[in-house]
Amino acid sequence: MPNSNEVPLMFQAPVTGRGQIQYIQHPEKSQRWVDEWVEAAATNSPQFRSNVKTKEYKITWRFVSNSGQDDDIIRPVIAAKGFPYYPGASMKGGFLRCCNPQEAQRYCGSQISSNETQPGILRFHGAYPKDDSWCDQPLIDVVHPQQDWQVKNSQSHSAFLQISLYKPTLIFGISSTIKLEDSEWETIWNIWDKAIERGIGSRVSAGYGQPINHRETKLITVNLKGQGLASQLIDKSGEFRPNMFKAALRGHTLRLFSGMTDENTAEELTKELWGGFAGANGAIVGNLGIAFNPVNLELDEFIYNNNIRMPVYQLDVGTLHILCMGKFADEYKKELKTLITQILKFSMLLGGFGKSWRRIDHRRFFPEYLENGNKPMIGCHWEFTNQSNNYYFPVNNINHITNIIDGVQKAVNNWLILKGKTASNQVNSWRESFHPQKVQVWGRIAQDEDDSLAVRWFHGNYQGSQSIKGSRLTGRMGNIGRIYHRMYPHYFKTSSNEMIRQKNQVKKYVELLTIFLDRNDEKTQGFLSFLATTEFTKLWGE
């Protein structure tokens, strides 16, 4: 009889003192789980029988299949011989949702009477990874919700663990109880193509379980490029994590709604758009999701103080799809597209995506800060590619920023009207509510990459002995600040309505400071008084 202590932890019940790994404070336990699992798993992937038709799909990022065994950690469904598995029942459910009534009855079956069902002709066998290369990829995935900490006033921003496959190629299997023509198999796989577009597994609206193609579900598609700090996994390796796009868009959605209506309504509308939890009512499936395909991405390390390493990324081009996660009337989809286009453009106007998104990339705009090799890398920088430059707000003069933000708020207000909600000028308690009494936006035109005025104010005195470094305004470790700094690519429209970047080789930027007010903080008030004496102009807010 085998020794029970030799059974890999992944296959043991999660009881106190033995199988529990859900606490981020003890990451070595999760690594042991994964190492034992990978070592015990078969090296040859399962093979479908000869009567099963198969098709493979590449997942652009991570894939989560939730076994449902634990409350506080998501670990995968595991098939025979230890291979991760996407269940056939889940596949059938996704397939069924994309069938018309006739297809649903033929392929998936139907309820004939209260106690009798008629089975469909198809059998769904789920999916396995194509090979064992999943074993060589980082499997421990850290989920770190921060919305309440950043937008509201919560001091809680705990991280949680889940186990997910990194960029797997999955082979799906379907068989039939009767012989079918090739043309009908083509119809069947076309239905599954539509089903998988909405993602498979868990957390699909955040970019998990997404294929490369989204012909049916895409609402908006833009091409982006960016650079900055990458996320760090449990094993200290770096990873570019596409769920940061949903986090940014969802956060800005909540900021904008909370500036125009009460807190409960803002929460309700944000959850309706992006999903969330509704207490005893369970999870809410949002209208929107994201999928991101990093076409040309390079991960590297930034090293300072001789041996301290920070993962960084350089993305030359990536495709962001904002997805419509449900079946909606054309008119509703049109209004949804108008709203989310404005939120996307607003997100790009004031900040970036991912770690350190509130600061500009110091390698690009303040390289002398890093020259001595003893300072950590700070910030990120994002742009639309030339292919998507129509998503920039044109800024023919600096005061156009006022009209731009007013236009975004108008789109938000139109959505409130569509949903039968009432706009309110009431100021709520959230730290980053985008209300004119709670936030100010200041800006100027910077002549080139070397012409950022504000970046130096974050690291030294801005006037005489006055400084905002490490203050409640700029923040410090464990205390999030109240200011964003952005170098927004300067595009303007010509008399012929053409969107252009510059008339010569010099690329200008719109330098923007977004400041969420703390009227009881002397340093904030002193800095605002100073800004009024500089090249910066107050563009929005009271």
Side-chain angles (χ1 to χ4, degrees):
M1 179 178 291
N3 187 339
S4 61
N5 291 326
E6 295 179 358
V7 177
L9 286 173
M10 189 72 79
F11 302 98
Q12 296 186 30
V15 299
T16 301
R18 185 180 70 192
Q20 291 182 316
I21 66 168
Q22 56 264 49
Y23 301 110
I24 196 75
Q25 293 89 341
H26 303 291
E28 68 280 356
K29 293 185 179 181
S30 60
Q31 192 61 57
R32 179 186 169 192
W33 269 46
V34 168
D35 290 345
E36 290 182 359
W37 173 35
V38 169
E39 184 179 354
T43 55
N44 296 320
S45 60
Q47 300 296 310
F48 292 108
R49 294 180 179 178
S50 58
N51 66 316
V52 178
K53 302 290 185 180
T54 62
K55 188 173 181 180
E56 65 180 53
Y57 295 80
K58 176 70 174 178
I59 301 301
T60 58
W61 181 42
R62 288 185 174 272
F63 162 64
V64 182
S65 62
N66 186 359
S67 69
Q69 296 182 70
D70 307 281
D71 291 333
D72 299 317
I73 182 170
I74 295 176
R75 55 171 164 158
V77 180
I78 299 176
K81 299 183 179 180
F83 247 73
Y85 171 57
Y86 178 64
S90 299
M91 185 180 181
K92 181 179 180 180
F95 184 93
L96 181 59
R97 285 190 291 271
C98 292
C99 290
N100 62 38
Q102 294 76 28
E103 292 167 340
Q105 183 173 1
R106 175 170 172 77
Y107 296 139
C108 300
S110 60
Q111 188 86 25
I112 298 175
S113 64
S114 60
N115 57 1
E116 185 179 2
T117 60
Q118 177 179 324
I121 64 171
L122 297 184
R123 300 294 178 265
F124 297 88
H125 299 270
Y128 296 95
K130 183 178 181 180
D131 51 41
D132 66 349
S133 61
W134 62 272
C135 297
D136 302 322
Q137 301 298 327
L139 297 170
I140 301 173
D141 183 7
V142 180
V143 184
H144 195 182
Q146 299 189 56
Q147 177 179 280
D148 287 356
W149 184 51
Q150 292 193 13
V151 179
K152 303 177 185 178
N153 299 302
S154 172
Q155 296 303 309
S156 174
H157 53 106
S158 299
F160 304 93
L161 292 177
Q162 63 184 14
I163 296 172
S164 61
L165 305 189
Y166 184 77
K167 295 186 176 180
T169 296
L170 300 177
I171 299 179
F172 293 81
I174 305 175
S175 64
S176 173
T177 57
I178 62 175
K179 184 175 176 57
L180 301 176
E181 298 293 332
D182 289 345
S183 59
E184 186 162 11
W185 275 114
E186 184 176 350
T187 298
I188 290 168
W189 285 115
N190 282 338
I191 293 172
W192 179 243
D193 285 345
K194 294 178 182 178
I196 199 174
E197 277 192 33
R198 293 179 182 168
I200 57 169
S202 302
R203 303 177 63 83
V204 294
S205 68
Y208 287 82
Q210 293 290 348
I212 293 173
N213 297 316
H214 291 84
R215 296 182 182 90
E216 299 284 333
T217 54
K218 64 183 178 185
L219 193 65
I220 299 171
T221 297
V222 294
N223 290 310
L224 304 169
K225 57 183 178 180
Q227 63 185 62
L229 289 166
S231 296
Q232 193 173 70
L233 300 177
I234 289 292
D235 64 1
K236 305 301 181 183
S237 63
E239 180 179 75
F240 182 90
R241 296 175 62 80
N243 57 346
M244 65 187 181
F245 294 106
K246 180 185 174 182
L249 294 169
R250 195 183 198 283
H252 286 307
T253 300
L254 191 59
R255 290 178 182 93
L256 288 165
F257 277 140
S258 67
M260 300 199 70
T261 187
D262 64 89
E263 296 171 5
N264 290 336
T265 302
E267 289 266 23
E268 175 191 336
L269 293 176
T270 300
K271 288 177 182 178
E272 183 179 27
L273 288 172
W274 294 107
F277 293 96
N281 295 323
I284 298 172
V285 178
N287 293 175
L288 300 168
I290 70 101
F292 188 77
N293 183 23
V295 179
N296 193 347
L297 171 69
E298 180 180 344
L299 285 171
D300 201 351
E301 288 183 323
F302 178 87
I303 303 174
Y304 70 103
N305 281 349
N306 295 323
N307 60 358
I308 301 177
R309 300 170 183 271
M310 304 175 74
V312 293
Y313 62 85
Q314 178 72 45
L315 178 75
D316 291 333
V317 61
T319 302
L320 175 66
H321 299 293
I322 298 180
L323 308 176
C324 198
M325 302 298 286
K327 294 181 179 179
F328 303 116
D330 289 344
E331 186 59 34
Y332 185 85
K333 287 179 67 174
K334 180 181 177 182
E335 296 293 336
L336 191 60
K337 182 176 181 178
T338 298
L339 174 69
I340 195 55
T341 297
Q342 290 297 306
I343 293 174
L344 172 63
K345 293 166 69 173
F346 176 83
S347 302
M348 183 68 90
L349 173 71
L350 296 186
F353 304 99
K355 291 189 71 173
S356 203
W357 66 266
R358 297 160 184 257
R359 298 290 183 267
I360 61 176
D361 190 301
H362 283 41
R363 291 174 300 173
R364 182 164 186 156
F365 298 104
F366 195 20
E368 56 265 40
Y369 177 76
L370 305 170
E371 282 177 356
N372 293 330
N374 60 354
K375 300 287 181 60
M377 163 59 188
I378 297 173
C380 67
H381 182 71
W382 284 87
E383 297 184 4
F384 295 113
T385 66
N386 290 337
Q387 191 176 357
S388 298
N389 67 8
N390 59 311
Y391 280 88
Y392 281 114
F393 289 118
V395 183
N396 284 38
N397 68 68
I398 192 64
N399 291 307
H400 282 176
I401 297 293
T402 306
N403 299 331
I404 287 167
I405 297 175
D406 286 343
V408 174
Q409 285 212 314
K410 182 178 179 181
V412 172
N413 187 58
N414 289 341
W415 189 258
L416 291 176
I417 294 171
L418 178 70
K419 290 295 177 178
K421 306 296 184 181
T422 303
S424 170
N425 289 323
Q426 182 178 353
V427 181
N428 67 40
S429 62
W430 292 352
R431 175 176 49 229
E432 294 192 4
S433 172
F434 213 84
H435 187 284
Q437 293 181 31
K438 297 210 67 170
V439 63
Q440 293 181 2
V441 179
W442 295 71
R444 61 181 285 270
I445 303 297
Q447 298 304 307
D448 54 35
E449 289 187 354
D450 299 323
D451 187 32
S452 168
L453 285 183
V455 69
R456 290 159 179 82
W457 300 336
F458 287 88
H459 301 289
N461 298 338
Y462 62 84
Q463 186 181 52
S465 61
Q466 298 181 76
S467 173
I468 55 173
K469 182 179 178 180
S471 67
R472 289 166 63 179
L473 178 61
T474 55
R476 54 188 177 273
M477 188 66 67
N479 185 5
I480 197 165
R482 294 173 172 264
I483 185 169
Y484 309 164
H485 183 205
R486 174 73 164 123
M487 293 288 274
Y488 183 68
H490 182 211
Y491 278 79
F492 58 93
K493 278 193 174 180
T494 65
S495 56
S496 59
N497 214 34
E498 180 186 5
M499 182 83 86
I500 62 173
R501 177 76 189 269
Q502 75 275 343
K503 295 179 180 178
N504 49 45
Q505 296 303 311
V506 178
K507 293 183 177 180
K508 295 183 178 182
Y509 295 84
V510 183
E511 184 171 18
L512 294 169
L513 291 171
T514 304
I515 301 171
F516 291 91
L517 303 176
D518 182 350
R519 300 186 187 276
N520 296 320
D521 180 40
E522 292 183 4
K523 286 197 173 184
T524 299
Q525 297 307 312
F527 183 67
L528 290 172
S529 298
F530 164 74
L531 273 183
T533 69
T534 69
E535 296 178 26
F536 279 87
T537 301
K538 187 168 76 169
L539 303 168
W540 203 84
E542 298 176 4

